Amino acid sequence: MNKLVTGLNETCLCVVLRPGEIGASFLDMAGSLLPDDVEKTHPHLFAHTPVYVSEADLKAMLSLVGAMERIAALPGWLGDADVSKHPLAPKVHGVFMGYDFHMTGKGPRLIEINTNAGGAFLNLFASKQFRACCDMLDMSKFVEPKNAERKIADMFLAEWAASGRTGRPGLIAIVDHKPKEQFLYPEFLLAAKLLNDHGLATVVAAPEELAFENGALHFEGRQVDLIYNRLTDFALSEHDDIRQAWVTGNAVLTPDPEAHRRFADKRNLVKLSDPVFLRGIGVDEQDIAVVSNLVPKAMLVTSENADTLWTNRKRYYFKPVTGFGSKAVYRGEKLTRKTWDFITAQDYVAQELASPSHRIVRAEGATGLRKFDVRLYTYRDQLLAAAARLYEGQTTNFRTPGGGFAPLTTL
């Protein structure tokens, strides 16, 4: 990050989201679907101040997205001799990829990749409430791609077509475990409304409400043609009906287990940070240069390197291979021996520390610094939405006064 960007993030107290406006607007939109005020039920979902990034850093992050797309398409990426012969070779690509970055003094650094990244619909909704705060803040510089809602609807149609279908899906189901109890349930409502508004019939459903019968997946007697998958059971090991519908090709699932395996499995961070491996599978030197510059070194935690990693633990984050949403992620300097024993008994990746930058906020009558990361929401190599997340603690948590999703603006 350059000095101007860092200076603004650490000193500017601009406010672009007025307290109360998000909640009121959401009530107008959701009506009886969500009678509670989202700002009361989710008080730290949105930060009210923008986060600044340089145009050069945004360009660098997007170059990593493009490189990752090309790398993941190579036959050797997953060790497959011939990807086309894999029994579950991917047809769809996967909606809403999420690329998370820390902004460091040496530029952006990739923290992780997610296949069902949450927050895109919430941030697009919030963007409609932005207000200019001062003459210095150029509203045209917010990272908000044009026609984002149309592009999102087209993305689902593209997934439908990629699966070999024609026409349009008759019914889309947004599926997650106990969706009404999920923290991001308001987003499910926004997603359903957007898709319905674009002529794509959509419902929100729990997996147990779906049944695979007579060669089709059903919800309340209606055939489900496409599932927007928000489950964190990435292999579908606990959801037999959905898996059966996917394996047999009777329903389109996006993102699917193959997308997670190709992009979001934490072991991929190890391969991405290994230029020797990348050259061995035929990655272009320009893409290797991009990846080497933006991806911190990562390695699997093994019995052979455990003692060395413990000694140097302050240099690393430790992440579970099958983890999600910052669950069971530990910063090395905070580790106890008891936690370390737990880590070494599981499948974990050690990733070199890339410390986040900070944003000053005013919250609850006081000013203070919050850490932040940046998330890009993409489809293939195209940007759909972007946001920062402000927080305190080891990882993002949406429990920090003054924290939550924040709009990005470029300089």
Side-chain angles (χ1 to χ4, degrees), residues 96 121 124 148-156 194-195 384:
F96 286 117
F121 292 93
L124 288 172
E149 294 187 359
R150 178 72 261 173
K151 289 179 180 178
I152 289 171
D154 288 345
M155 171 179 61
F156 282 90
L194 186 153
L195 294 173
L384 295 173

Side-chain angles (χ1 to χ4, degrees), residues 362-396:
R362 180 179 289 120
E364 299 182 345
T367 58
L369 292 175
R370 303 290 185 264
K371 301 173 185 177
F372 73 84
D373 66 7
V374 170
R375 171 170 285 183
L376 303 185
Y377 300 92
T378 66
Y379 180 60
R380 299 187 183 273
D381 60 353
Q382 299 299 308
L383 182 67
L384 295 173
R389 297 181 297 179
L390 276 59
Y391 64 98
E392 286 182 322
Q394 293 191 64
T395 56
T396 54

Side-chain angles (χ1 to χ4, degrees), residues 193-246:
K193 184 176 188 303
L194 186 153
L195 294 173
N196 277 301
D197 286 349
H198 284 81
L200 297 169
T202 303
V203 296
V204 179
E208 59 270 18
E209 294 179 292
L210 304 177
F212 186 68
E213 300 171 339
N214 300 320
L217 195 66
H218 294 90
F219 169 77
E220 296 183 350
R222 302 168 66 187
Q223 180 172 320
V224 174
D225 296 315
L226 185 149
I227 294 174
Y228 172 24
N229 179 21
R230 296 293 293 253
L231 293 164
T232 53
D233 171 22
F234 300 114
L236 300 179
S237 58
E238 300 175 2
H239 298 91
D240 292 340
D241 282 39
I242 294 175
R243 183 175 179 83
Q244 185 70 6
W246 169 59

